[in-house]
Amino acid sequence: MYGLVDCNNFFVSCERLFDPRLNGKKVVVLSNNDGCVIARSNEAKAAGIPMGCPAFKIKEHTDPRQVIQLSARHILYRDLSNRVMKLVGEEVDNLQQYSVDEAFFTLKHKDVDTSHRVMAELVKRIRQYVGIPVSIGFAPSRTLAKVANHIAKKDPRITDGVYWLIRPEAIDIILRRTPIEDVWGVGRRLSASLQSRGIKTAADFVKMPPSLVRSLYSVTLERTQRELMGHDCQIANPVTIAHKTIMTSRTFGKVITSRDEIADAIVSFAERTARQLRDEGSVAGSIMTFVRGDRFREDLPFYSNSCQLALDTPTSDTMTIARQALNALNLIWRDGFAYRKAGVMALDIQRGTAIQLNLFDPDDHGKLRRLMTSIDGINNMYGRRSIKLAPGLQRGEWSPNQNHFNTKSKTLHFYTGMLTT
DNA sequence: TCTGGGGTCCTAGGACCC
DNA sequence: TCTGGGGTCCTAGGACCC
């Protein structure tokens, strides 16, 4: 039996917490470059604004003057997410955070009546202490828990935000009402393909022979099918294990043609990537840098390339990683193109303790580690990027546009001026 | 004018080996 | 006409998620 707790309209709920005037309005939160809609209030959903909608296309769905558009403040959202998860963790077992606003878990209590009472109280407590509305769904598998959570959110008869999807007859009825494209693990491509075979609902899908699903599609989709039948197939890997890759990338506020500007951005991305490696107690074995043009500008020649370089010794040292990221940039840089996006990725990640010292590496790892710890400590105390490598000193030409911060909200500006997450 | 960022897993196919 | 067979390993790319 799995529980899934999910914050309702999470980013919008966070913004509303600090500006109640947003209540009852069509509110959307925009992605990094004020580009796409990444969160919607119920009112915005009802107006037909789809998830991922480019901001400039909102007018195709509703009167944009009635839509409040806000730049994302991911640091604030992370902070509130941590508070929600702390309260949840006190009442459940095996809490596995799946994303910033949702987590799977198992129950402490065996009997459903006690559990239901505890969970309904938890929903109330999160609302009271953190201010964020959440919903909880229960089912025999994670995929079904997703379905149950959806019902907990949507069905007005569910007054306490908790829904149990357990009885086979109930599961059968619900699956018949679940469009195939709403199933977790069935995206646009797969649902189009399944629909062309006459599979319209989750119930239709469950009736397909599993061997056929596997041969036509993949073991992944077959697992989704078995999960819908109520078998736990561990579809979601626990996110608690360390990351296998860590990436930092941004779309620039405008196209960039200067190599120095891009190098400046790459150093910033490398710094952030290295910091995250250290936070997770990991080291990277190789570093990848990529650059690309603007895929929407047909008037400009398009260029996209990446380069992955191994590190002599796996490390989380900012300077080594930045240096290697710049080496990679030098190998893929081409003059005469307009660049719109770039990024740095750490790969071949291992636990930090597993450092294989390179005999010929002149660096003193102990000294470097102490330096990095000091830098992280200062940045923790005085704000991110108080100390940084020279090339990234100021917000550059490449910084993403974010022009819709809610300056009228009571939120500490602490959460605003910081450069993205 | 304006189209995100950060992940995971699986598969097909090529390189290489005996 | 006919071009072994069976492995392993790696990578690129596609699909999905939020």
Side-chain angles (χ1 to χ4, degrees):
Chain A
M1 169 83 65
Y2 285 100
L4 172 63
V5 56
D6 192 311
C7 302
N8 305 348
N9 313 327
F10 182 51
F11 296 169
V12 170
S13 297
C14 293
E15 294 290 341
R16 280 178 169 170
L17 192 54
F18 293 93
D19 188 357
R21 286 169 301 180
L22 300 176
N23 290 335
K25 305 233 171 79
K26 294 175 198 161
V27 183
V28 300
V29 173
L30 302 175
S31 65
N32 202 6
N33 229 347
D34 291 335
C36 294
V37 170
I38 54 172
R40 305 160 294 160
S41 67
N42 285 343
E43 294 79 5
K45 287 177 189 172
I49 300 172
M51 189 67 167
C53 177
F56 71 96
K57 282 189 179 168
I58 288 175
K59 61 174 181 290
E60 291 177 12
H61 305 280
T62 183
D63 181 356
R65 288 168 301 181
Q66 292 175 14
V67 179
I68 299 172
Q69 304 177 34
L70 300 173
S71 296
R73 293 188 276 194
H74 290 288
I75 295 174
L76 167 66
Y77 311 150
R78 171 64 58 187
D79 189 304
L80 289 166
S81 164
N82 289 342
R83 298 181 202 206
V84 170
M85 294 305 164
K86 184 160 182 296
L87 288 180
V88 176
E90 288 168 4
E91 300 296 343
V92 307
D93 286 334
N94 303 310
L95 185 68
Q96 293 174 340
Q97 198 165 343
Y98 177 70
S99 72
V100 69
D101 74 326
E102 64 188 304
F104 291 100
F105 59 86
T106 58
L107 287 166
K108 275 188 176 160
H109 305 281
K110 284 276 175 270
D111 78 293
V112 169
D113 286 344
T114 310
S115 293
H116 187 90
R117 188 164 37 74
V118 171
M119 289 298 114
E121 280 167 14
L122 175 62
V123 170
K124 242 189 264 175
R125 195 174 321 133
I126 292 171
R127 188 68 198 251
Q128 187 182 348
Y129 291 167
V130 189
I132 298 295
V134 306
S135 304
I136 301 181
F138 290 97
S141 69
R142 288 172 162 95
T143 305
L144 283 173
K146 277 282 207 183
V147 176
N149 188 282
H150 197 246
I151 296 167
K153 269 198 182 61
K154 290 285 152 60
D155 195 321
R157 286 169 296 184
I158 311 295
T159 52
D160 52 14
V162 183
Y163 183 74
W164 300 76
L165 186 57
I166 296 173
R167 287 180 16 254
E169 317 85 72
I171 294 176
D172 187 51
I173 291 169
I174 296 299
L175 291 190
R176 270 185 265 159
R177 291 183 201 153
T178 305
I180 187 64
E181 66 267 25
D182 287 358
V183 171
W184 191 42
V186 179
R188 242 191 18 233
R189 303 294 281 264
L190 287 173
S191 68
S193 173
L194 286 165
Q195 280 166 1
S196 74
R197 294 177 182 276
I199 309 291
K200 310 286 183 204
T201 68
D204 297 336
F205 178 50
V206 161
K207 287 190 205 116
M208 281 180 80
S211 56
L212 184 64
V213 173
R214 186 178 198 144
S215 63
L216 286 176
Y217 300 99
S218 67
V219 295
T220 319
L221 193 64
E222 188 197 352
R223 278 206 285 262
T224 295
Q225 189 195 30
R226 292 191 188 279
E227 288 247 327
L228 287 174
M229 295 171 181
H231 308 300
D232 172 22
C233 299
Q234 289 283 331
I235 258 196
N237 270 322
V239 189
T240 45
I241 58 173
H243 285 112
K244 295 176 177 174
T245 61
I246 292 174
M247 178 160 74
T248 306
S249 73
R250 290 291 178 276
T251 297
F252 307 135
K254 56 175 191 161
V255 292
I256 300 284
T257 53
S258 146
R259 184 186 190 134
D260 287 348
E261 285 287 351
I262 302 271
D264 185 89
I266 292 294
V267 169
S268 293
F269 301 157
E271 272 187 90
R272 186 174 188 281
T273 301
R275 169 66 194 264
Q276 196 178 336
L277 280 167
R278 294 196 293 276
D279 285 349
E280 295 186 7
S282 299
V283 290
S286 64
I287 297 298
M288 193 262 273
T289 296
F290 74 88
V291 293
R292 64 180 311 163
D294 188 333
R295 62 201 166 109
F296 298 106
R297 289 279 294 271
E298 286 173 9
D299 57 318
L300 295 173
F302 183 81
Y303 173 66
S304 169
N305 206 349
S306 69
C307 175
Q308 182 179 344
L309 294 178
L311 293 156
D312 293 337
T313 305
T315 185
S316 56
D317 164 49
T318 294
M319 278 173 278
T320 309
I321 288 173
R323 204 181 303 133
Q324 201 67 322
L326 288 174
N327 287 340
L329 173 66
N330 286 337
L331 292 172
I332 55 176
W333 175 264
R334 298 282 180 277
D335 279 320
F337 288 99
Y339 296 89
R340 190 69 204 286
K341 183 172 181 175
V344 171
M345 193 191 278
L347 305 100
D348 303 325
I349 291 175
Q350 325 164 11
R351 298 293 302 163
T353 49
I355 292 182
Q356 191 96 48
L357 278 181
N358 183 340
L359 282 178
F360 304 101
D361 187 342
D363 286 339
D364 178 337
H365 289 270
K367 209 185 276 178
L368 268 179
R369 204 160 43 236
R370 286 194 296 279
L371 175 60
M372 288 303 127
T373 307
S374 303
I375 290 178
D376 292 346
I378 290 169
N379 283 337
N380 281 339
M381 207 176 302
Y382 297 105
R384 297 175 55 253
R385 290 175 60 79
S386 294
I387 292 189
K388 52 206 146 198
L389 296 184
L393 274 178
Q394 49 235 293
R395 279 177 70 98
E397 291 285 304
W398 56 271
S399 298
N401 301 320
Q402 288 195 291
N403 301 322
H404 295 289
F405 287 122
N406 186 2
T407 51
K408 289 176 187 154
S409 89
K410 303 266 192 281
T411 320
L412 296 172
H413 287 281
F414 181 75
Y415 285 122
T416 300
M418 304 182 161
L419 181 70
T420 69
T421 49

